[in-house]
């Protein structure tokens, strides 16, 4: 089993209350993941979605930061952190060369 | 910490270093802030650069040159190899650098010219007044501070968050982000005088895999694939591991790095009131080769030249800074990026069979000039039957 570091909710991340994160189509001008994800997120209000950062895998390269449509990530020297509101779109997780990010869906 | 400068540079990479050096030499007070605790590490680069390009900015020094390159080889999916030799082409090929030392040298030169350098200091957001950038809010080893400046040069690399927070759209579309992984390997059988590029959809989808020598039996072995091809089980690292297991099973990895190369078009505009964007942050990487060191140095230097003039004239508005944007776009670099962007958009559509055919058609050429342009010209001449298809390429050249 891998030990996941769960990204701490940043200011206004709205994650402490476990509220589901909804995909908003207009935010997807950057990629085509909406189709992949819409069956998952935003359709079921009992589902909560969040981004997990595996810091043991992360190579602190900043690739994820550059593709995030929400500017939610921050690379602080050798430490990647979710600092602002994340819509769990999964774009960063796709771009990561090392597979250190994962969008997880929880009932 | 001083908190007022003529020019504040965000990021201590090649773009930031050249900007700060140029600004200081022009008599400005200037400061580089770098969020990492050491300049140049971890490296996010395969370290290859053309000799002529390098010499425009700095005198080559053996302390930061790892290897002198005589040829480049393109290896098609079926193994067809196009070899470009320095002695046949008129111009020189390039060097593989040691960027840990190189980046430090550039920052050192900036410091020597009079620039302040502060590491472990991250710009968190711009100081905005009436829509204009007036400096940066920073966290310096955890302590918040404001640094004010007439002009801020954002040279913050791939992340490019400073310009973004000042209102420019720097987001890289997933498909145009090259997702990269690289091992510095030793004890491997390589041609120490050749940079090798492996092409193919099974090897590196919409990208390439490289072996850049760092000396005898040592090389940067790395790969970049399109973000849209990157998934669990088929990430950059997975492709790289497969290649290494097959080709260098006995090799030893002494450094493993990751990185992202933006191969989108440059930012629509690289200036705003009180702000200029240079290097990777401006997305001025060559979309075909992924090379960005030279372009970073060029844009960094140019940004500082224009900023110096504007500060002297007492006007650092977007309009006043605009000559920077106009000049790099009209430059050889700007034209090259636009051309190679179109070339890239064509190449990513090719399947392996087509790549093989094209490679075979030029397998035995000797180029008079060592460039993407010369290679494309050769492809067009040798494939008259594909004229219609290659029209996109031909248009890109004109
Ligand atoms: C795997 C890989 C291989 C490559 N191979 C080559 C190659 O062979 N040849 C080539 O020419 N190019 C190559 N490139 C591209 C090249 O590395 C870049 O184009 C070059 O480093 C760009 O320089 P820069 O100064 O713009 O940015 P960088 O070198 O990335 O420097 C930016 C700096 O800004 C700092 N920073 C970021 N945000 C902040 C902030 N908020 N506050 C303070 N500091 C900040 C960063 O820590 C970093 O040190 C490669 C890139 C990758 C990822
Ligand atoms: S892209 Fe992956 S390896 Fe790079 S900083 Fe983000 S999580 Fe870490
Ligand atoms: S999941 Fe989407 S919004 Fe969240 S950090 Fe990743 S790219 Fe940004």
């Amino acid at each position: 089993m891998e030990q996941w570091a769960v990204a701490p909710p940043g200011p206004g991340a709205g994650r402490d209350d476990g509220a589901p994160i909804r995909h908003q189509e207009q935010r997807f001008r950057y990629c085509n993941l909406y189709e992949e994800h819409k069956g998952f997120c935003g359709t079921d209000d009992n589902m909560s979605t969040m981004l997990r950062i595996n810091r043991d895998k992360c190579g602190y390269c900043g690739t994820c930061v550059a593709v995030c449509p929400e500017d939610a990530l921050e690379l602080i020297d050798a430490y990647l952190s979710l600092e602002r509101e994340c819509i769990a779109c999964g774009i960063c997780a796709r771009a990561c060369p090392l597979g250190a990010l994962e969008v997880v869906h929880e009932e | 910490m001083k908190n007022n400068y003529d020019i504040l540079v965000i990021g201590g990479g090649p773009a930031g270093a050249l900007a700060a050096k140029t600004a200081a030499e022009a008599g400005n007070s200037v400061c580089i802030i770098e969020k990492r605790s050491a300049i140049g590490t971890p490296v996010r680069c395969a370290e290859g650069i053309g000799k002529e390009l390098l010499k425009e900015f700095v005198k080559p020094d053996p302390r930061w040159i790892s290897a002198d390159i005589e040829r480049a080889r393109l290896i098609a999916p079926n193994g067809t190899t196009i070899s470009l030799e320095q002695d046949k082409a008129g111009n020189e090929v390039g060097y593989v650098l040691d960027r840990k030392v190189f980046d430090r040298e550039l920052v050192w030169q900036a410091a020597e010219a009079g620039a302040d350098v502060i590491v472990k200091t991250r710009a968190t957001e711009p100081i905005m007044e009436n829509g204009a950038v007036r400096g940066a809010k920073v966290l310096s080893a955890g302590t918040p501070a404001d640094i004010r400046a007439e002009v801020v040069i954002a040279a913050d690399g791939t992340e490019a968050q400073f310009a973004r927070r000042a209102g420019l759209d720097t987001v890289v579309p997933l498909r145009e982000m090259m997702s990269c992984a690289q091992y510095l390997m030793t004890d491997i059988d390589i041609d120490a005088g050749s940079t090798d590029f492996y092409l193919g959809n099974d090897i590196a989808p919409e990208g390439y895999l490289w072996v850049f020598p760092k000396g005898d039996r040592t090389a940067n072995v790395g790969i970049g694939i399109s973000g849209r091809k990157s998934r669990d089980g088929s990430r950059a690292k997975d492709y790289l591991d497969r290649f290494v297991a097959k080709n260098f099973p006995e090799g030893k990895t002494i450094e493993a790095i990751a990185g992202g190369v933006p191969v989108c078009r440059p930012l629509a505009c690289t200036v705003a009131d009180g702000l200029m964007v240079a290097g990777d942050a401006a997305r001025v990487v060559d979309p075909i080769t992924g090379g960005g060191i030279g372009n970073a140095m060029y844009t960094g230097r140019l940004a500082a030249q224009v900023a110096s003039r504007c500060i002297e004239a007492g006007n650092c508005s977007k309009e006043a800074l605009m000559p920077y944007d106009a000049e790099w776009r009209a430059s050889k670099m700007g034209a090259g990026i636009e051309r190679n962007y179109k070339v890239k958009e064509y190449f990513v559509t090719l399947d392996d069979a087509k790549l093989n055919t094209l490679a075979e058609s030029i397998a035995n050429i000797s180029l008079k000039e060592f460039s993407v342009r010369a290679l494309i010209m050769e492809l067009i001449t040798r494939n008259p039957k594909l004229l219609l298809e290659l029209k996109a390429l031909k248009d890109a050249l004109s």
Side-chain angles (χ1 to χ4, degrees):
Chain A
M1 271 296 281
E2 262 163 353
Q3 278 294 316
W4 289 103
V6 176
R15 211 164 310 318
D16 339 47
D17 57 4
I21 289 134
R22 289 164 180 279
H23 272 311
Q24 292 180 1
E25 218 160 340
Q26 75 273 15
R27 285 178 162 163
F28 286 78
R29 63 205 156 105
Y30 296 113
C31 87
N32 51 10
L33 291 182
Y34 178 72
E35 284 307 314
E36 264 176 47
H37 277 106
K38 73 174 172 193
F40 242 138
C41 328
T43 51
D44 180 353
D45 279 11
N46 297 323
M47 199 76 98
S48 97
T49 313
M50 70 194 307
L51 183 72
R52 275 180 182 169
I53 303 173
N54 184 335
R55 294 208 174 85
D56 287 330
K57 282 192 179 179
C58 174
Y60 27 97
C61 67
T63 307
C64 51
V65 177
V67 295
C68 172
E70 296 297 307
D71 194 11
L73 293 160
E74 195 83 38
L75 177 62
I76 303 165
D77 206 347
Y79 185 87
L80 181 72
S81 167
L82 191 60
E83 295 278 299
R84 282 165 297 275
E85 190 178 355
C86 160
I87 57 167
C89 66
I91 297 175
C92 57
R94 284 283 298 280
C96 175
L98 306 179
L101 300 173
E102 189 188 27
V103 174
V104 289
H105 309 276
E106 282 161 353
E107 290 276 341
Chain B
M1 196 196 294
K2 224 179 107 177
N3 47 24
N4 211 331
Y5 289 91
D6 294 329
I7 297 180
L8 174 65
V9 178
I10 319 273
L18 261 286
K21 176 171 180 258
T22 311
E25 282 168 352
N28 298 288
S29 65
V30 46
C31 178
I32 307 181
I33 57 166
E34 167 56 55
K35 70 178 175 182
R36 301 195 267 184
S37 45
I39 301 286
T41 53
V43 168
R44 307 192 275 198
C45 192
E47 309 178 296
I49 188 166
K51 285 187 189 176
E52 282 146 43
L53 184 60
L54 177 76
K55 285 176 196 162
E56 279 180 40
F57 303 97
V58 51
K59 198 165 143 276
D61 182 335
R63 283 186 303 126
W64 41 257
I65 292 173
S66 297
D68 200 329
I69 302 304
E70 294 151 11
R71 76 187 70 81
R73 292 186 297 203
L74 299 175
I75 298 122
N78 66 1
T80 303
T81 302
I82 305 160
S83 186
L84 307 168
E85 305 280 340
Q86 178 167 285
D87 24 325
K88 289 190 192 136
N91 51 345
E92 294 176 316
V93 183
Y95 295 119
V96 177
L97 306 175
D98 185 346
R99 276 200 61 186
K100 287 192 198 77
V101 185
F102 178 73
D103 284 23
R104 279 172 197 215
E105 171 66 23
L106 294 183
V107 170
W108 175 248
Q109 288 186 7
E112 237 180 3
D116 282 352
V117 182
I118 318 176
V119 294
K120 214 164 166 59
T121 298
R122 177 167 59 93
T124 52
E125 58 179 302
I127 298 172
M128 302 291 291
E129 281 168 16
N130 305 322
V133 175
R134 291 277 173 259
K137 292 191 178 303
V138 308
L139 267 179
S140 187
T143 307
D146 283 4
I147 303 180
R148 298 182 65 88
E150 302 292 319
V151 176
V152 177
I153 299 180
D156 47 351
T158 286
E159 293 102 309
Q161 284 167 307
F162 192 82
R164 185 175 187 175
R165 289 171 191 170
L168 305 185
D169 184 2
T170 62
V171 182
V172 180
L174 181 63
R175 86 174 179 93
E176 301 200 291
M177 175 55 90
M178 283 292 135
S179 178
C180 305
Q182 175 177 278
Y183 299 144
L184 172 54
M185 298 192 72
T186 187
D187 211 9
I188 54 176
D189 275 325
I190 51 151
D191 177 343
S194 175
T195 46
D196 292 349
F197 303 79
Y198 292 81
L199 306 174
N201 288 295
D202 291 336
I203 293 182
E206 296 184 17
Y208 65 85
L209 185 146
W210 62 84
V211 179
F212 285 7
K214 294 271 287 176
D216 283 341
R217 301 187 61 73
T218 312
N220 285 330
V221 183
I223 187 174
I225 68 171
S226 162
R228 81 167 148 205
K229 298 287 180 182
S230 167
R231 281 159 204 276
D232 279 341
S234 59
R235 293 183 187 276
K237 181 181 186 300
D238 302 313
Y239 284 100
L240 182 60
D241 285 339
R242 262 173 258 159
F243 180 88
V244 164
K246 185 164 159 240
N247 294 280
F248 304 123
E250 307 294 326
K252 283 138 200 137
T253 298
I254 57 171
E255 186 174 308
I257 59 137
V261 181
V263 292
C264 50
R265 280 212 165 89
L267 298 189
C269 182
T270 52
V271 294
D273 291 329
L275 175 71
M276 310 173 93
V277 193
D280 275 19
R283 313 307 186 203
V284 291
V285 175
D286 182 315
I288 279 278
T289 63
I293 305 171
N295 296 353
M297 292 193 287
Y298 168 73
T299 49
R301 182 172 71 185
L302 183 64
Q305 286 164 347
V306 174
S308 303
R309 287 205 298 270
C310 292
I311 289 169
E312 202 168 335
N315 179 1
C316 299
S317 66
K318 174 178 175 180
E319 210 189 342
L321 298 173
M322 203 60 191
Y324 161 67
D325 190 271
E327 186 170 338
W328 74 250
R329 272 180 221 277
S331 71
K332 195 171 151 217
M333 177 203 84
I337 291 176
E338 184 54 27
R339 179 193 67 221
N340 285 0
Y341 182 83
K342 292 179 191 150
V343 173
K344 176 210 78 168
E345 289 293 277
Y346 170 72
F347 272 99
V348 296
T349 65
L350 300 181
D351 59 20
D352 283 3
K354 190 50 87 35
L355 277 174
N356 288 332
T357 315
L358 289 178
E360 281 158 13
S361 76
I362 55 168
N364 301 312
I365 57 160
S366 47
L367 283 182
K368 280 195 269 327
E369 184 202 321
F370 209 90
S371 68
V372 172
R373 188 193 171 85
L375 207 66
I376 303 294
M377 289 303 284
E378 203 62 33
L379 272 179
I380 294 171
T381 340
R382 304 227 172 192
N383 293 281
K385 283 197 191 121
L386 294 176
L387 197 64
L388 220 73
E389 211 190 304
L390 295 178
K391 194 176 171 301
L393 281 182
K394 205 168 178 184
D395 292 347
L397 291 191
S398 60

